[in-house]
Amino acid sequence: SVTNARRGLTARLEIDHRGRPIEVEVISGTGSGSIDRSLVASLFRWRAAGDKINALADEGTFKITIHISFSR
């Protein structure tokens, strides 16, 4: 349950030229391994779009850092 998360998750994603995450690195976890694994799986399904993606070469990538927080 998300209510078991003591804190949010911070992750660094490497995004390819199609807008797909090709690497997800957890920088700071929630304190729950099962929640972290679920969030990482969700991040791999996430897609980016926009000018930065459109400007990438075929093998180009860029990295972003994302923080997911929970409120009670």
Side-chain angles (χ1 to χ4, degrees):
S1 158
V2 174
T3 57
N4 292 334
R6 293 183 291 225
R7 57 190 175 274
L9 178 128
T10 301
R12 183 172 295 116
L13 285 67
E14 184 172 2
I15 310 296
D16 72 7
H17 67 281
R18 297 168 299 183
R20 298 179 182 184
I22 57 172
E23 183 178 334
V24 176
E25 173 191 1
V26 175
I27 298 169
S28 175
T30 63
S32 169
S34 63
I35 292 173
D36 291 353
R37 287 188 296 277
S38 293
L39 290 171
V40 167
S42 294
L43 289 171
F44 272 111
R45 290 189 301 270
W46 178 78
R47 298 295 179 258
D51 293 339
K52 191 158 190 168
I53 296 294
N54 296 338
L56 287 175
D58 283 345
E59 298 302 317
T61 65
F62 69 97
K63 291 185 179 183
I64 63 169
T65 301
I66 188 167
H67 180 77
I68 300 170
S69 59
F70 304 100
S71 61
R72 296 177 195 238

